Amino acid sequence: MAEARIYHNSRCSKSREALALLTEHGIEPEVVYYLETPPSVEELRTLITDAGVSVRQAVRTKEAEYKELGLADASDDELLAAMVAHPRLIERPFVVTAKGTRLGRPTSLVEEIL
């Protein structure tokens, strides 16, 4: 792994802010465009666990797919499978460094692992 990895969506302001924060600290992260290359269920489960958030906190509930797929009462395993199949459902950005993993919402949480 590079010094850091960011699961990035360039259309997302929080993701852009986190990427800018990394580069401001002299870190050129490995950028994973997760919409094009979604993580596996196990990789996503690890990101979520390591970030200290719940699966439900890592789901974008306002995306159309969330409602279309009827995920309001889904189990964690069902949510993970849906997030991998429909990566727009993954909350962003996840940032990984040697010091840990954070879901960068708010962006200031990323500072904890720099």
Side-chain angles (χ1 to χ4, degrees), residues 21-76:
L21 180 65
L22 291 169
T23 57
E24 286 167 13
H25 280 82
I27 299 169
E28 289 300 323
E30 172 188 352
V31 178
V32 177
Y33 294 95
Y34 69 90
L35 292 176
E36 298 165 15
T37 310
S40 68
V41 168
E42 284 311 309
E43 184 180 5
L44 185 57
R45 186 186 312 273
T46 298
L47 288 169
I48 291 168
T49 300
D50 291 353
V53 297
S54 70
V55 172
R56 189 139 314 263
Q57 288 172 308
V59 176
R60 295 182 59 82
T61 59
K62 295 191 180 181
E63 292 294 335
E65 291 96 330
Y66 184 83
K67 291 175 185 59
E68 291 167 5
L69 297 169
L71 297 175
D73 296 319
S75 69
D76 284 357

Side-chain angles (χ1 to χ4, degrees), residues 59-98:
V59 176
R60 295 182 59 82
T61 59
K62 295 191 180 181
E63 292 294 335
E65 291 96 330
Y66 184 83
K67 291 175 185 59
E68 291 167 5
L69 297 169
L71 297 175
D73 296 319
S75 69
D76 284 357
D77 288 340
E78 291 167 331
L79 288 172
L80 287 165
M83 291 161 76
V84 169
H86 305 275
R88 286 189 343 164
L89 290 170
I90 301 171
E91 190 61 88
R92 69 251 180 178
F94 277 97
V95 178
V96 181
T97 72

